[in-house]
Amino acid sequence: MTTFRWRPEARAGHARAGWLDTAHGSVPTPTFMPVGTVGTVKAMTMDSVRSTGAGIVLGNTYHLMLRPGAERVRALGGLHRFMDWPGPILTDSGGFQVMSLGPLRKLDQDGVTFRSHIDGSKHRLTPERSTDIQYALDATISMCFDECPALPAAPDVIAKSMRMSMRWAERCRTAFVQRPGYAQYGIIQGGTEPELRAESVKALTGIGFEGYAIGGLAVGEGQELMFSTLESTVPLIPDASPRYLMGVGTPDDLLGAVERGVDMFDCVMPTRAGRTARAYTERGTLNLRNARHATDSRPISPHCDCLACSRHSRAYLHHLFRANEILGPMLLTWHNLAYYQRLMRGMRAAIVDGAFTAHADHLRAQWAMDDW
Ligand SMILES: CCOC(=O)Nc1nc2cc3nc(NC)[nH]c3cc2c(=O)[nH]1
Ligand SMILES: [Zn+2]
């Protein structure tokens, strides 16, 4: 029987390398979670996701509750069976998606009523319903139902929103079914106000969760404010608890957040960029639709073992995107996820080898070169 926990392996300042033990297997941290919004990592098979080195994938409660419905997924054996991913799955609570529906949703102290973007049907999410849906999906890691306020916002607006999210966190914890190897994460809110962030951490650790997410960031505040908020918030989280920074980010964001003690990440950038001809590489990004790649016989990256880099040229990817061929987004999504996983593995190895500072300097110097 597995107990859900994070085990430290090595440290470099605030950065940590470790293992996350779950009911669906152990995953090395720091880890990047590909986003599998509607039960699929777009343009990828789960075997190709596995081949990039991914350990945990993310599923969206909001999308899955609307289609095909949580009850149907449960009846079919849960999300692991449904999408054929035997490893850990983290499901978000739907909070963030629903908040971004704008006029299609009505928020009150008890939850959110909204209309489906698919067929306009009416739905309601509350802390209890969100937690029940994630249970029906058999999520390895469930997230609390929270409100992520748009930034910039006045401190009193941020405070009111955070305090509502803390009341919702209490209700989520009460509704959560504890099972060995499964987890529920509290989501720290508080905008970029250190005192509000501290109040939120205190409230959540008082309730007690298996892990803690830093929410309310990567919503337009900019990297400097994101990093300063991490510096004031992460040290308040219990050392043995896994930390998850939601919706982040670029390779440079990931490096800076790992340096500040974050263990887990999710972001749509590598998959979304893969569909829009943008390639991530050790030397910055490439827009493969650009004519300058039309005759370039080199792989996207000489350091990459993905299918695109081991079999094809930049010229071929350029051609596929110009011809609007499905294989283009498939190959480039594969490459971008492989790059993100290689980046995480490289940071982890440097922390374990006691060479993290030198590795961070090397990464930043390379990204600045974007000359190939
Ligand atoms: C993944 C769990 O998400 C939730 O259930 N709530 C939540 N999600 C967020 C997603 C975010 N994505 C970004 N930037 C792309 N920032 C985010 C914040 C939250 C959040 O505060 N709360
Ligand atoms: Zn590649």
Side-chain angles (χ1 to χ4, degrees):
M1 180 189 76
T2 312
T3 303
F4 184 95
R5 67 181 179 141
W6 179 77
R7 280 180 290 120
E9 181 174 329
R11 296 181 191 255
H14 290 289
R16 313 122 60 91
W19 289 92
L20 192 68
D21 297 336
T22 83
H24 298 104
S26 292
V27 173
T29 66
T31 188
F32 178 81
M33 304 182 279
V35 176
T37 300
V38 285
T40 154
V41 178
K42 294 185 186 335
M44 297 283 282
T45 66
M46 293 325 279
D47 286 348
S48 57
V49 171
R50 169 74 64 206
S51 80
T52 64
I56 310 182
V57 298
L58 190 137
N60 284 133
T61 296
Y62 166 77
H63 292 279
L64 290 164
M65 72 182 275
L66 296 181
R67 183 170 55 189
E71 188 41 40
R72 178 173 297 178
V73 175
R74 191 200 58 71
L76 289 163
L79 194 52
H80 290 87
R81 182 73 218 94
F82 193 53
M83 65 193 288
D84 186 29
W85 176 260
I89 297 175
L90 181 146
T91 51
D92 75 3
S93 62
F96 190 72
Q97 271 77 24
V98 171
M99 300 305 168
S100 44
L101 281 177
L104 276 179
R105 58 114 172 122
K106 197 178 72 54
L107 170 74
D108 57 65
Q109 286 300 314
D110 181 54
V112 184
T113 304
F114 61 95
R115 288 201 175 282
S116 160
H117 70 286
I118 298 169
D119 59 13
S121 55
K122 213 167 171 186
H123 297 265
R124 182 156 176 76
L125 264 181
T126 63
E128 293 78 11
R129 176 120 171 72
S130 170
T131 305
D132 295 347
I133 289 171
Q134 295 177 75
Y135 178 77
L137 297 173
D138 192 30
T140 316
I141 301 172
S142 300
M143 300 305 294
C144 278
F145 184 69
D146 65 335
E147 185 192 31
C148 170
L151 291 183
D156 66 309
V157 170
I158 297 289
K160 264 215 294 290
S161 170
M162 180 269 287
R163 287 164 190 153
M164 182 176 70
S165 289
M166 297 304 102
R167 289 193 296 277
W168 287 359
E170 182 88 57
R171 289 169 51 188
C172 287
R173 194 60 177 173
T174 304
F176 182 62
V177 176
Q178 306 251 4
R179 290 178 284 174
Y182 286 77
Q184 183 181 46
Y185 283 17
I187 302 180
I188 303 162
Q189 293 292 349
T192 56
E193 313 290 334
E195 308 76 48
L196 294 178
R197 285 278 170 182
E199 179 184 329
S200 183
V201 174
K202 193 160 177 288
L204 294 176
T205 50
I207 297 167
F209 289 93
E210 286 75 31
Y212 298 91
I214 300 109
L217 292 177
V219 283
E221 75 282 355
Q223 190 185 70
E224 198 181 332
L225 262 178
M226 177 170 77
F227 283 172
S228 60
T229 305
L230 289 178
E231 285 158 17
S232 60
T233 307
V234 173
L236 305 177
I237 301 170
D239 181 70
S241 302
R243 301 84 180 266
Y244 162 29
L245 178 56
M246 309 172 107
V248 174
T250 66
D252 189 49
D253 291 338
L254 293 173
L255 174 58
V258 167
E259 282 174 327
R260 291 165 176 81
V262 177
D263 305 308
M264 300 170 71
F265 301 89
D266 88 277
C267 187
V268 295
M269 278 183 189
T271 39
R272 186 171 293 169
R275 299 194 297 278
T276 56
R278 179 157 295 284
Y280 280 92
T281 80
E282 291 76 9
R283 295 202 184 164
T285 63
L286 296 173
N287 176 354
L288 288 172
R289 290 189 74 91
N290 189 307
R292 71 189 183 91
H293 303 298
T295 56
D296 193 332
S297 59
R298 295 175 298 172
I300 298 167
S301 162
H303 309 293
C304 187
D305 61 354
C306 84
L307 196 64
C309 296
S310 50
R311 301 281 189 76
H312 299 293
S313 61
R314 295 179 186 191
Y316 182 62
L317 269 292
H318 170 78
H319 161 68
L320 291 177
F321 277 101
R322 283 298 181 102
N324 210 15
E325 282 295 331
I326 295 175
L327 187 58
M330 289 168 67
L331 288 174
L332 193 51
T333 300
W334 190 324
H335 165 77
N336 284 347
L337 287 176
Y339 173 71
Y340 265 62
Q341 294 302 334
R342 196 162 54 253
L343 175 68
M344 302 314 285
R345 282 197 300 275
M347 287 196 279
R348 189 180 196 280
I351 295 167
V352 170
D353 296 346
F356 186 56
T357 307
H359 185 66
D361 294 346
H362 168 73
L363 286 174
R364 291 187 170 111
Q366 288 281 314
W367 287 328
M369 286 171 84
D370 73 347
D371 61 352
W372 59 1

